[in-house]
Amino acid sequence: MAPNTLYDALFAPHMDSAAPFLEWQGRRIGYAKFLRLAARAANAYAAAGLGTGDRVVVQVGKSPIALALYAGAVQAGVVYLPLNTAYTPDEVAYFREDSGARLLICDPVSEQALAGGGPVLTLAADGDSGSFLDLMAKQEDVAPVAERGPDTLAALLYTSGTTGRSKGAMLTHRNLLSNAQALRELWRFTDRDRLIHALPIFHTHGLFVATNVTLLARGSMILLPRFDLDAVIATLPRATTMMGVPTFYTRLLDDDRLDRALTADMRLFISGSAPLLAETHDRFTARTGHRILERYGMTETSMSTSNPYEGDRRAGTVGQPLPATELKIRDPETGADLPPGEIGVIEVRGPNVFQGYWNMPDKTAEELRPDGFFITGDLAVQAEDGYVTIVGRAKDLVISGGLNVYPKEVEEAIDALPGVVESAVIGVPHPDMGEAAVAVVVGDIAPDTVRSGLSGLAPFKQPRHVEVVSELPRNTMGKVQKAALRKSHARLFAS
Ligand code: MCA
Ligand code: AMP
């Protein structure tokens, strides 16, 4: 029988493999060694009192150990809940409480700020008793594999919503594994691949798409701490593939060193998480000869569509539905299916689609239909031949450098400041980040005071520009016209 859990498909076949898995700061870590680390992490979870189904919140910088924390959780049956390192203590407190996590693992520098709200262990390397690393060091490097099946929960990834607090998307082994299998095949990943991994590992893109696909193919990853232009350019000649957000590609295009010779040994560049302008796609082809392969997905669905490996990688489109994923374009009001060429909301169904939001049955029911179709909130048209072009969003969302900023959350923080009457947060085109958040505020307050009042929000959510006005534009129903604000601010960051 084909393996149907992450451990059986991604780890078990490589236990004794000396093949390289990671390259990190000049060091190579082979598969067997990485899996021994993962086993130590699995044993350490058990030693810390975590069993199958318990949640662990992990807010740590990128490193091979951080990846081993994920792999160890898979082995131990612990539900993995990774968090953006930019999240503030208040934000982290919410995720711990909402998920009912048994343990938080963080970097030593954040320990004090994150104390309270349950057990905390750090990645301190000094033998400290509060160190998860220390606990790992005391463990054996083989570990039992938790009882689990394809429908067992593997991860809880939080995604904000247009209303209310963040929601934990429940992802099972089947969700994650089926997607990795589809992508490995579609994108032709093999054990000869060396992937440039410059993404964060707390989102679907860097954690699941990049890592699970590589593990399944038994390829290797050149793990970079973050997207550093010089480091990526230095790495391109010895890599074969890269996955990135559009900002990676625009930053590369702004550098004269990007040319055909530099990318001659690359076989594939993949983009996603935010719209890649057709112009960026075309400029990249003109400079390097490579056609970027764009795909589309969400935390709740992993990847749903992709341009083909062979065939037409159509600029400005996100390609066709993955083989096992059904995709419909539906009328946002009535839910009726729309014919090719008409704009509607994307709905998807398949093994990739999540199980619902953690402890939020009402929110789940709003977005996941009883027949299994998930309402993405992305607006698109589908051509006769299946290609999907995203044209906008039915949801109020700003995507900045591939990170989601929910206007509602920022508006609530602004509206709570003394002197503020009301506010509107919009996304406007930004040459580096694709979109940037801008706050338009009504009230007796200075823009700098608004800015300094938002320190409880992660920096990437903070508006890049704050403007104080006497009133917001409204339609006859009294609703704030964000479209008008987006139009009047469209050239704010024009270079
Ligand atoms: C950093 N900053 C940002 C962002 N990143 N501000 C807005 N948007 C951002 N994305 C802040 C920093 O805190 C800093 O603030 C200032 O901007 C300058 O940072 P800079 O050095 O320019 O940024 P960077 O460190 O180079 O990061 C930009 C980045 C990075 C490379 C675009 O954000 C990134 O790697 N993004 C990828 C996100 C991702 O993986 N998304 C996938 C999720 P200050 O100056 O105040 O200190 S979506 C997903 O998983 C779905 C399923 C999918 O389809 O993939
Ligand atoms: P997240 O909630 O972080 O998983 O972000 C998912 C959202 O990112 C989707 O609903 C889309 O709005 C957006 N997205 C992902 N990939 C693409 C893409 N290739 N083109 C346009 N938008 C994308």
Side-chain angles (χ1 to χ4, degrees), residues 185-230:
E185 208 158 302
L186 257 173
W187 298 341
R188 310 278 200 273
F189 270 74
T190 71
D191 59 2
R192 290 184 300 283
D193 275 310
R194 286 181 303 281
L195 174 81
I196 298 183
H197 190 311
L199 290 158
I201 51 170
F202 38 70
H203 288 303
T204 295
H205 197 165
L207 185 61
F208 300 140
V209 183
T211 308
N212 290 349
V213 167
T214 301
L215 282 165
L216 197 62
R218 213 209 274 202
S220 65
M221 304 201 287
I222 304 170
L223 208 60
L224 302 176
R226 52 181 284 276
F227 183 87
D228 174 83
L229 187 61
D230 289 336

Side-chain angles (χ1 to χ4, degrees), residues 159-160 203-204 271-276 294-300 303 317-318 376-378 390 392-393 395 397 399 402-404 406:
T159 131
S160 286
H203 288 303
T204 295
S271 178
S273 307
L276 181 77
E294 185 172 7
R295 73 358 173 236
Y296 156 76
M298 275 183 83
T299 301
E300 290 89 334
M303 300 305 100
T317 83
V318 294
T376 64
D378 291 305
I390 296 178
R393 295 174 203 132
K395 52 194 174 190
L397 166 68
I399 304 184
L403 293 177
N404 290 2
Y406 289 87

